């Protein structure tokens, strides 16, 4: 795998950054230490501009090439936040924060993009401007959306945007990508069924919300199996059930459900929203109760642009000799918002045989650093070649 000598030399230093960030995980928008760490490094590399506080705790670094006549501006984005999971890797660099850990490898993403920024600031072998973006709150907080809402794309003149995620099970040094819809929309629903509570031995005097909720949960299974076209991808999962009573001899007043819906096309997403609400309300009515269904739209479908995906795959092939077709992913990804604003592409980089992400045994594989850094550097240099 051709990795530039200089990036090979930086491997140990980037690994040390990665493990430092790993020891100090921060959740959602509270990436204060990590953001300060990133901003200090970017200033140290000699970035032309370092902006903090974008989308609350996001950081942006601007690196101008030795030529800028092309007028091209490419955004390269990493995420910085950790997860509320207690780490059990036993690694020497394990989390020092109880109940928080980098279980999705965003420590690795941040370190790899910092490594690329150091290289690009040293060499500047491109005609245009590279904008390195470090976002908070990828894990459900919409930090990428907040950076966009803050006017980041306009402020830095970003024309195209690229992102990357490590992928356990994909060999180190290899890549996978696909054009079009790639990661699913990720919505949440919250339903409260109300009946009339009473003595469990006198069910005829009650309107039992447990029965209503049970029927509704079963009926919701027909959204995927009978409402959606079988060639479409859709997930509808009820993930939490809670009643207003905790006794074995009480029929409760209320049952509350939580769940999630994932789709890869807007029409299928609309269908899921409509049917979750219809089934809840109609089922409650059948049994004489009521339903209050709240459907919250989370991350949109993440769609890779055709041309930028082809280019990203070509760059990956130049590094590893191959680039696999990635599977569709029903997980959500906050980078979707940036791809709604600008054309671009999101790629998976092999993390080897590690535990799956979001698992307490997961640890980013530092052997993946050279391939990831090379891809970032090549994206900037090959998309903005010197005249
Ligand atoms: Zn994650
Ligand atoms: Zn992640």
């Amino acid at each position: 795998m051709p990795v530039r000598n200089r990036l090979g030399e930086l491997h140990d230093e980037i690994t040390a950054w990665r493990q430092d960030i790993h020891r100090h995980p921060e959740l959602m928008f509270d990436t204060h230490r990590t953001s300060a760490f990133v901003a200090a490094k970017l200033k140290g590399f000699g970035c032309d501009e370092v902006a903090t506080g974008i989308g609350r705790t996001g950081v942006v670094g601007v690196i101008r090439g030795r030529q800028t006549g092309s007028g091209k501006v490419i955004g390269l984005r990493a995420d910085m936040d950790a997860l509320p999971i207690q780490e059990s890797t036993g690694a020497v660099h394990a989390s020092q924060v109880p109940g928080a850990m980098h279980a999705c490898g965003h420590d690795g993403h941040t370190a790899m993009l910092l490594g690329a920024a150091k290289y690009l600031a040293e060499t500047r072998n491109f005609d245009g401007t590279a904008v390195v973006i470090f976002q908070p709150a990828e894990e459900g907080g919409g930090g990428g959306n907040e950076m966009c809402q803050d006017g980041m794309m306009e402020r830095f003149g970003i024309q195209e945007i690229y992102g990357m995620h490590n992928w356990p099970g994909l060999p180190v040094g290899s890549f996978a990508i696909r054009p079009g819809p790639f990661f699913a929309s990720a919505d949440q629903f919250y339903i409260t069924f109300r009946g009339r509570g009473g003595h469990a031995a006198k069910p005829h005097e009650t309107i039992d919300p447990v029965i209503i909720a049970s029927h509704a949960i079963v009926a919701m299974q027909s959204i995927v199996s009978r409402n959606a076209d079988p060639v479409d991808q859709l997930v509808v999962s009820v993930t939490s059930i809670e009643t207003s009573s905790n006794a074995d001899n009480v029929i409760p007043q209320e049952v509350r459900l939580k769940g999630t819906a994932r789709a890869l096309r807007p029409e299928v997403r609309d269908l899921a929203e409509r049917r979750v609400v219809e089934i809840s309300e109609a089922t409650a009515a059948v049994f004489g109760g009521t339903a209050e269904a709240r459907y919250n739209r989370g991350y949109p479908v993440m769609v890779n642009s055709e041309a930028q995906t082809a280019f990203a795959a070509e760059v990956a092939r130049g590094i590893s000799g191959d680039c696999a077709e990635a599977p569709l992913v029903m997980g959500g990804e906050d980078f979707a918002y940036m791809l709604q604003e600008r054309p671009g592409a999101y790629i998976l980089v092999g993390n080897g045989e590690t535990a799956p992400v979001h698992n307490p045994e997961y640890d980013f594989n530092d052997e993946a650093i050279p391939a990831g850094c090379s891809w970032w550097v090549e994206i900037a240099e090959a998309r903005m070649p010197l005249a």
Side-chain angles (χ1 to χ4, degrees):
M1 180 187 73
V3 164
R4 290 148 202 259
N5 290 338
R6 179 65 184 134
L7 282 175
E9 285 167 26
L10 292 175
H11 192 172
D12 288 349
E13 187 179 4
I14 298 168
T15 299
W17 299 339
R18 202 286 292 182
Q19 297 185 356
D20 184 304
I21 297 167
H22 192 92
R23 279 186 199 96
H24 304 98
E26 295 174 301
L27 303 179
M28 298 297 270
F29 286 96
D30 293 326
T31 57
H32 303 287
R33 182 189 183 276
T34 313
S35 297
F37 180 96
V38 165
K41 290 283 175 234
L42 294 177
K43 281 177 192 153
F45 304 156
C47 286
D48 298 283
E49 196 182 331
V50 178
T52 58
I54 299 181
R56 298 196 235 174
T57 40
V59 182
V60 172
V62 176
I63 306 163
R64 290 193 193 94
R66 64 180 72 239
Q67 296 170 0
T68 53
S70 75
K72 287 183 181 164
V73 183
I74 303 288
L76 312 174
R77 167 276 196 185
D79 38 19
M80 302 188 286
D81 58 317
L83 283 159
I85 297 174
Q86 179 65 40
E87 180 162 354
S88 60
T89 63
V92 282
H93 55 268
S95 169
Q96 296 175 357
V97 181
M101 74 174 286
H102 271 289
C104 205
H106 299 183
D107 49 346
H109 303 165
T110 295
M112 289 192 291
L113 187 55
L114 278 176
K118 178 164 181 162
Y119 181 94
L120 291 169
E122 266 177 23
T123 54
R124 301 190 187 246
N125 286 325
F126 53 95
D127 179 0
T129 303
V131 178
V132 289
I133 299 162
F134 298 85
Q135 76 150 85
E138 192 288 320
E139 298 286 1
N145 187 33
E146 294 236 0
M147 292 184 89
C148 291
Q149 296 302 317
D150 242 357
M152 174 181 74
M153 296 295 180
E154 299 75 20
R155 175 170 166 187
F156 298 99
I158 296 163
Q159 298 160 347
E160 285 183 14
I161 184 95
Y162 294 86
M164 177 195 286
H165 208 291
N166 78 91
W167 209 249
L170 189 65
V172 166
S174 62
F175 296 87
I177 198 168
R178 65 183 300 131
F182 188 177
F183 280 54
S185 55
D187 300 339
Q188 305 83 36
F189 54 84
Y190 307 89
I191 304 160
T192 302
F193 293 104
R194 292 197 180 85
R196 185 169 62 237
H199 201 295
K202 292 185 169 182
H204 58 294
E205 293 177 0
T206 72
I207 294 170
D208 187 349
V210 175
I211 297 296
I212 299 172
S214 303
H215 277 272
I217 292 166
V218 173
M220 279 181 211
Q221 306 313 305
S222 70
I223 301 172
V224 173
S225 70
R226 289 297 177 271
N227 298 145
D229 186 325
V231 300
D232 273 314
Q233 290 82 15
L234 177 64
V235 173
V236 179
S237 297
V238 173
T239 55
S240 166
I241 308 176
E242 192 182 58
T243 73
S244 57
S245 154
N246 195 24
D248 55 43
N249 59 354
V250 174
I251 288 173
Q253 284 281 112
E254 239 177 62
V255 172
R256 291 176 290 273
L257 305 185
K258 286 181 195 170
T260 183
R262 316 289 179 113
L264 284 161
R265 288 201 307 123
E267 297 79 4
V268 181
R269 186 185 200 187
D270 293 344
L271 170 79
E273 172 168 12
R274 179 168 64 76
R275 290 299 290 153
V276 163
V277 174
E278 280 175 359
I279 287 172
S280 301
E281 292 175 352
T283 306
V286 162
F287 293 98
T290 61
E292 193 184 309
R294 187 162 65 84
Y295 190 98
N296 176 57
R297 292 202 164 212
Y299 294 171
V301 180
M302 188 186 78
V303 183
N304 266 350
S305 315
E306 295 280 339
Q308 285 73 18
T309 300
F311 166 68
E314 186 187 311
V315 166
R317 276 192 290 274
I319 297 164
S320 79
D322 193 21
C323 184
E325 185 185 70
L328 292 166
V329 179
M330 297 311 284
E333 168 58 62
D334 189 22
F335 191 60
Y337 291 104
M338 295 193 191
L339 282 177
Q340 280 186 336
E341 299 232 335
R342 295 293 183 271
Y346 186 83
I347 201 164
L348 307 180
V349 63
N351 203 47
E353 294 309 313
T354 57
V357 293
H358 293 215
N359 180 290
E361 293 286 343
Y362 172 87
D363 189 19
F364 178 81
N365 186 348
D366 291 311
E367 294 309 310
I369 288 173
C373 281
S374 297
W375 187 78
W376 286 127
V377 166
E378 280 290 334
I379 288 284
E381 291 186 358
R383 202 63 170 163
M384 303 183 285
L386 287 168

